[in-house]
Amino acid sequence: KGTHTMAFRQPKIEYKTNTQILKMREAGLVLAEALDEAVAAAQIGVTTAHLDEVFAAVLERHGATSNFKGYHDFPANICASVNDEVVHGFPSEYVLKDGDVLKIDGGAIIDGWHADSARTVIVGTADPEDQRLSDITQEAMWRGIAALAEARFVGQIGDAIDDFVSAVPGKPLGILEDYVGHGIGSEMHQAPDVLNYRTGHRGPRIKPGMCLAIEPMLVRGGLETKVLQDDWTVVTVDGARASQWEHSVAVHMGGIWVLTAHDGGVAGLAPFGVTPSPISS
Ligand code: MG
Ligand code: MG
């Protein structure tokens, strides 16, 4: 899930050992596979409830559990948010249509260690403006992750995302401010907040053992959002479409490692001159 109020968070940053990060990597690889299968199943005519089943089957196959189901009574394994729904949508009997902008956000737990990742998939034929929205959101995520590799403070992640999005040529896109990334480890949502925009605050110092979920959410319209009567689904007030991309990333003595990418982030980070380093156990 994208968003989290302060009240749900632990106040202190949890620094992970290499052994703990390796457990998170296991959860991250299961999650990557579950998202692969859910994304592949996201076709015209399929319900979002079906995607939830596909995702859950992969977790079960690997002995992982969902960190979404039951979280503050959330009823499903994934969040499936369509078009103007930004985050926290419920999988339902909604039938996917040509051109839908679907965000699938999921998580997995192995031996108590969490991973959290989200992707945007455009069903059928993409409106070019929606494709651009998703592409720029995905690049914003990778730029945020690349910034983490070099940065001294958590605030530099949001600076990098904001600087990139603000400078994209063509129609401007908005960075949602109501929902942000977070620390992750023995809980899905931990300190610190990882903002997706420039604030002038440098935030906590980046240290080995820090694991962060970096998850920019961009919109084609205004930044105002509201929560629907189901108390979960977040939509844009003006009905503009939204995109979300998310990875969980570890900082360790040898560098950074993208826990929820099959290749550890090698391909995604290459354009920015960053080479992720796995932990050797
Ligand atoms: Mg998430
Ligand atoms: Mg998250």
Side-chain angles (χ1 to χ4, degrees):
K1 303 170 33 161
T3 320
H4 325 297
T5 63
M6 292 297 287
F8 299 166
R9 291 235 175 88
Q10 298 178 354
K12 278 196 178 166
I13 295 172
E14 176 187 77
Y15 298 96
K16 271 63 89 170
T17 65
N18 281 0
T19 307
Q20 292 167 337
I21 292 172
L22 286 166
K23 279 291 170 195
M24 293 177 70
R25 173 60 166 166
E26 280 184 49
L29 286 174
V30 174
L31 175 53
E33 186 179 331
L35 285 173
D36 285 347
E37 294 204 10
V39 165
Q43 302 289 334
I44 297 166
V46 165
T47 66
T48 53
H50 175 67
L51 304 183
D52 191 65
E53 290 167 14
V54 167
F55 180 94
V58 177
L59 263 52
E60 198 180 340
R61 191 159 82 215
H62 291 283
T65 52
S66 166
N67 36 23
F68 284 33
K69 198 162 195 170
Y71 182 89
H72 298 274
D73 296 326
F74 190 80
N77 300 283
I78 57 170
C79 294
S81 311
V82 182
N83 296 335
D84 62 323
E85 298 172 355
V86 184
V87 285
H88 304 175
F90 293 165
S92 71
E93 294 310 309
Y94 175 82
V95 176
L96 292 170
K97 297 193 302 288
D98 193 33
D100 276 349
V101 179
L102 169 69
K103 281 73 66 179
I104 304 176
D105 190 353
I109 311 171
I110 296 265
D111 294 341
W113 292 96
H114 291 242
D116 183 10
S117 180
R119 301 183 196 170
T120 296
V121 51
I122 302 182
V123 179
T125 307
D127 175 322
E129 289 299 317
D130 288 335
Q131 189 63 56
R132 173 177 178 267
L133 169 71
S134 177
D135 291 348
I136 291 172
T137 308
Q138 187 180 22
E139 181 169 347
M141 173 193 67
W142 284 116
R143 286 180 181 263
I145 296 169
L148 173 64
E150 320 264 303
R152 293 175 58 215
F153 297 99
V154 171
Q156 290 171 263
I157 298 166
D159 294 350
I161 291 171
D162 200 334
D163 289 351
F164 165 64
V165 175
S166 303
V168 289
K171 286 184 197 155
L173 298 174
I175 303 171
L176 288 188
E177 298 180 358
D178 296 344
Y179 300 93
V180 300
H182 50 92
I184 182 166
S186 63
E187 311 259 4
M188 179 164 55
H189 296 136
Q190 300 183 321
D193 288 331
V194 182
L195 306 187
N196 296 308
Y197 52 95
R198 187 179 275 283
T199 63
H201 297 286
R202 64 187 195 179
R205 185 179 292 276
I206 292 166
K207 292 183 198 161
M210 195 178 249
C211 296
L212 302 176
I214 296 177
E215 51 177 316
M217 284 150 269
L218 268 53
V219 288
R220 287 176 54 187
L223 300 185
E224 240 188 306
T225 62
K226 63 181 179 188
V227 179
L228 297 184
Q229 285 204 327
D230 63 18
D231 280 337
W232 280 101
T233 311
V234 176
V235 299
T236 55
V237 168
D238 62 8
R241 291 181 164 191
S243 174
Q244 176 200 24
W245 283 86
E246 176 182 25
H247 272 309
S248 298
V249 187
V251 181
H252 60 95
M253 291 302 286
I256 66 163
W257 197 16
V258 182
L259 302 172
T260 47
H262 291 289
D263 68 352
V266 170
L269 290 167
F272 312 107
V274 173
T275 307
S277 323
I279 291 169
S280 42
S281 49

